[in-house]
Amino acid sequence: MHTVATLVMGLDGSTSKDGSSAGVSTNTDRERFLKRRREFDCIIIGGNTARNERYSFTPCPLVVISRNPSNILITNPNAVWWTIEPKLALEKARREFGPDILIEAGPGLLNQFLSLGLVDQLEISVTPITGGQDHINLNEALRGFEITNDEKIEETRFVTAKKR
């Protein structure tokens, strides 16, 4: 049983550009991102991520936690909307879908999961892109975690950190 949170960010800490994380992603990051998803029982995202990213298909159940339910992802047969707090969503997802959960949230929801101590491992991609929005501080995100792998592939830095 483990909970992994993944995040892509530009060199300046921006997590989106032109309204989407695709604006700060690279091909190398995208390949790793799509491969990682197949290793989990469930993916959790927030409402803003659901509204701004393409989630019309996921290889496993997709839980959207949001105060504003919507049918934006009606084309994804694996998507469900829950109007509950992050901790309860994580517990419910484990009961309904399995123990291995991937969190693909933006900085707001990710910070909630981190502050509650609900993340076992962080997978952060740092790309050379700058000039985006929704900044996050890498050092703050890694507080309470120990870096277990730090590698650069082409122009993207991949950081894996496990909870201390």
Side-chain angles (χ1 to χ4, degrees):
M1 178 168 84
H2 72 295
T3 303
V4 176
T6 183
L7 182 73
V8 61
M9 61 189 295
L11 194 57
D12 62 356
S14 54
T15 60
S16 67
K17 191 169 187 176
D18 302 323
S20 170
S21 65
V24 294
S25 186
T26 61
N27 289 336
T28 308
D29 167 63
R30 188 54 130 178
E31 287 173 22
R32 188 175 277 206
F33 170 81
L34 292 173
K35 181 181 177 193
R36 182 184 306 121
R37 296 172 127 199
R38 292 184 284 257
E39 302 169 3
F40 291 87
D41 298 313
C42 175
I43 300 169
I44 295 177
I45 64 174
N48 285 334
T49 299
R51 287 183 282 278
N52 294 309
E53 305 287 344
R54 293 183 292 183
Y55 277 88
S56 57
F57 172 80
T58 50
C60 60
L62 175 70
V63 172
V64 181
I65 55 176
S66 176
R67 290 184 199 100
N68 302 310
S70 170
N71 62 358
I72 282 176
L73 298 174
I74 201 160
T75 59
N76 184 337
N78 291 324
V80 295
W81 286 77
W82 294 345
T83 311
I84 57 179
E85 297 301 314
K87 183 177 180 182
L88 296 175
L90 186 58
E91 292 168 358
K92 184 175 180 179
R94 283 195 174 120
R95 282 193 312 272
E96 292 192 18
F97 305 117
D100 297 324
I101 308 295
L102 179 62
I103 300 168
E104 293 181 357
L109 186 56
L110 175 60
N111 281 329
Q112 288 181 50
F113 277 102
L114 290 173
S115 69
L116 294 168
L118 300 174
V119 176
D120 302 314
Q121 181 174 314
L122 280 171
E123 298 281 341
I124 299 177
S125 306
V126 183
T127 70
I129 298 163
T130 59
Q133 303 80 37
D134 304 314
H135 292 76
I136 193 166
N137 182 301
L138 180 60
N139 292 331
E140 288 290 318
L142 290 171
R143 183 178 292 154
F145 288 83
E146 179 180 343
I147 294 176
T148 58
N149 191 40
D150 191 342
E151 64 180 321
K152 192 166 187 177
I153 301 174
E154 295 176 9
E155 70 279 11
T156 304
R157 178 183 174 201
F158 295 97
V159 178
T160 300
K162 295 197 177 183
K163 190 175 183 179
R164 288 186 191 154

